[in-house]
């Protein structure tokens, strides 16, 4: 398993079509699955392993995370999250353990008919020893603790990876590590359909942390709900704290990954790094901080999510372009309220028959660039794998479409796919793009990049900032027109459809439905603030 990072060069067995718990159960077969007297840790990496098998002693010895050291190597296999937390060597304190609560139906009014299932999950961030979080535990909150799912991402400080475990009562399964997420056989399968880059995931990362209990909203419980007596529920704190933990854990894995990738001076798979710059490998979900039910035509202006307009985290925060325009543009509340009727916004869950007119609890949920993508780019710049100018030129090819850009993705064709010296990674990519640009129109992705790259080093930051200022000014004017706002609603729905095609889309109540056809043309944003069909 220590060789997982290079396994991709050796090829993998055919993948398994449906990486679900049922697939794992099937793979376990009859291998002592019901033998509670002799429990074992099994290995099953979806897409790589055709059959689950017990880990050999030397394989178990290679796992250096707290789950392996404190439980599995001692033949301890906790059945519930309570057993797991009780089995850690230090008692839980506010300093070493935080409990969080999420539920997509958590803010829907009680007594709705039909009542949607209020399945909630706990996320527990725990430091096994010391104060640095090395266990992130996810489990069902208001279900039988012994029967609900129990999953753990555990940091291995020696191998510098997250190991991913799942308990399928009563069996524990090692489902792979961070490198497995990047290997062709297992990438996109099993737990790596959501942990697509090997790191921990919190989709609703920023304020107001939609669907999480936080300082912005409380998950609703009946006054007599027995769940209120759950000791873990009584420890729940706001998701604003989890955001900080997740960002730190993402950064920890990114730093370890880049150090390992560049340690020999050669990047074996340049495309695995560059896709974070040129494509959308993952997204976060952002929204306004305003509850949709409180918005009326006279509410004033509405702040839509900044990440809807451009990748401000990368361009403004990380690359520090000197943009002066106000961000985000302000939308008249009256246009938003009108759009709810125009586009028949509703929350629907077909499995339960629940339907409620209107938007999500916090208004205007949309996908935005993922923290994990931006973190790789930021650390590549900081470590000198690429320059800030190179990153900025790539983003500016179509900065108005920060996610799911088919235009920017075309530049992946010019990224080396063979081992490349760290010092030559950027130069090889730039040279390939510039050569292609000579035979392509200026409007092509290559032409746009070449024009940006030609700017002098003391000119490009101000030039890019001026482009952004001009764009935001145009958007700010168009959004105040009813037709312009409706175009942005259509653009938001286009991006939601792209998100719904991802494995990250797990729950029907995460996003609203509209009357916009599911087969409507994909849309893109132009520099002048208009919306057009994507090419």
């Amino acid at each position: 398993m220590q060789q997982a990072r290079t396994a991709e060069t050796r090829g993998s067995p055919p993948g398994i079509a449906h990486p679900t718990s049922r697939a794992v159960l099937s793979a376990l077969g009859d291998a002592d699955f019901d033998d509670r007297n002799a429990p074992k840790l099994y290995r099953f990496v979806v897409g790589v392993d055709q059959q689950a098998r017990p880990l050999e002693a030397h394989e178990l010895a290679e796992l250096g995370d707290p789950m392996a050291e404190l439980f599995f190597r001692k033949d301890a296999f906790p059945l519930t999250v309570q057993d797991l937390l009780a089995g850690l060597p230090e008692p839980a304190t506010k300093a070493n353990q935080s409990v969080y609560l999420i539920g997509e139906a958590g803010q829907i009014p009680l007594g709705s008919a039909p009542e949607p299932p209020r399945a909630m999950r706990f996320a527990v961030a725990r430091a096994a020893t010391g104060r640095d979080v090395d266990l992130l535990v996810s489990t069902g909150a208001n279900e039988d603790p012994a029967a609900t799912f129990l999953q753990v991402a555990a940091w291995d400080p020696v191998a510098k990876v997250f190991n991913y475990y799942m308990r399928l009562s009563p069996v524990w399964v090692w489902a792979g590590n961070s490198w497995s997420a990047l290997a062709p056989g297992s990438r996109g399968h099993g737990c790596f359909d959501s942990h697509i880059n090997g790191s921990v995931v919190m989709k609703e990362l920023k304020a107001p942390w939609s669907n999480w209990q936080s300082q912005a909203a409380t998950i609703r419980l009946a006054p007599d709900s027995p769940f209120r007596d759950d000791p873990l529920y009584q420890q729940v704190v706001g998701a604003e704290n989890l955001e900080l933990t997740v960002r730190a854990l993402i950064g920890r894995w990114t730093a370890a990954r880049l150090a390992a990738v560049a340690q020999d001076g050669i990047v074996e798979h340049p495309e695995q790094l560059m896709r974070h710059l040129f494509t959308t490998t993952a997204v976060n979900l952002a929204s306004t901080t305003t509850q949709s039910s409180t918005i009326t035509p006279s509410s004033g202006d509405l702040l839509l999510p900044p990440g809807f307009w451009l990748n401000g985290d990368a361009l403004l925060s990380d690359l520090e372009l000197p943009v002066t325009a106000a961000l985000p543009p302000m939308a008249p509340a009256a246009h938003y309220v009108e759009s709810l009727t125009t586009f028949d916004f509703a929350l629907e869950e077909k499995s339960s028959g629940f339907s409620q007119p209107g938007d999500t609890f916090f208004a205007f949920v949309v996908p935005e660039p993922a923290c994990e993508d931006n973190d790789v780019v930021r650390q590549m710049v900081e470590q000198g794998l690429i320059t800030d100018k190179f990153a900025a030129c790539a983003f500016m090819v179509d900065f108005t479409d920060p996610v799911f850009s088919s235009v920017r993705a075309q530049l992946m064709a010019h990224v080396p796919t063979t081992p490349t010296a760290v010092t030559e990674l950027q130069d090889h990519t730039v040279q390939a793009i510039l050569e292609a640009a000579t035979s392509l129109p200026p409007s092509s992705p290559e032409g746009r990049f070449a024009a940006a790259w030609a700017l002098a080093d003391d000119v490009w930051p101000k030039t890019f900032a001026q482009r952004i200022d001009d764009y935001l000014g145009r958007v700010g004017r168009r959004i105040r027109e009813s037709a312009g706002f409706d175009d942005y609603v259509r653009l938001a729905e286009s991006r939601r459809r792209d998100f719904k095609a991802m494995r990250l889309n797990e729950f029907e109540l995460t996003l609203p439905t509209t009357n916009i056809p599911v087969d409507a043309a994909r849309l893109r944003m132009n520099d002048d603030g208009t919306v057009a069909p994507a090419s």
Side-chain angles (χ1 to χ4, degrees), residues 13 25 35 76 84 102 115 160 179 196 208 213 223 228 322 337 339 395 420 427 441 443 468 485 487 491 502 513 535:
L25 289 170
D35 189 356
L84 191 161
I102 182 174
E115 185 83 8
K160 297 188 183 303
W179 291 112
I196 190 69
Q213 180 142 316
R228 293 181 179 276
V337 173
S339 75
F395 285 128
T420 303
D427 290 344
S443 60
I468 293 173
F485 184 86
D487 278 347
L491 178 63
M502 304 175 76
T513 63
S535 56

Side-chain angles (χ1 to χ4, degrees), residues 243-375:
E243 174 186 345
L244 302 177
T245 296
V246 168
R247 287 184 183 276
L249 294 178
I250 289 172
R252 182 191 296 178
W253 160 236
T254 300
R257 174 187 173 188
L258 294 183
V261 164
Q263 65 181 349
D264 298 326
I266 299 292
V267 178
E268 294 290 332
H269 297 278
E271 73 282 1
Q272 294 186 2
L273 293 181
M274 290 300 193
R275 63 189 173 203
H276 295 285
L277 176 61
F278 293 130
T279 75
T280 297
T281 72
V283 296
N284 289 126
L285 295 177
S287 72
T288 73
T289 58
T290 308
Q291 296 179 22
S292 59
S293 63
T294 67
I295 303 173
T296 68
S298 60
S299 292
D301 289 339
L302 192 63
L303 288 168
L304 301 189
F308 178 66
W309 308 109
L310 78 166
N311 190 344
D313 289 341
L315 291 168
L316 309 188
S317 298
D318 296 339
L319 299 176
E320 299 182 337
L321 294 184
V323 171
T324 60
L327 183 71
M330 304 287 284
H335 292 345
Y336 169 77
V337 173
E338 182 181 0
S339 75
L340 298 181
T341 300
T342 300
F343 297 100
D344 291 335
F345 272 75
L347 284 180
E348 294 183 351
E349 187 178 59
K350 294 178 181 178
S351 58
S352 66
F354 172 79
S355 180
Q356 171 183 288
D359 202 356
T360 43
F361 183 76
F362 289 107
F364 210 84
V365 175
V366 290
E368 70 171 13
C371 173
E372 53 202 280
D373 278 336
N374 283 338
D375 194 66

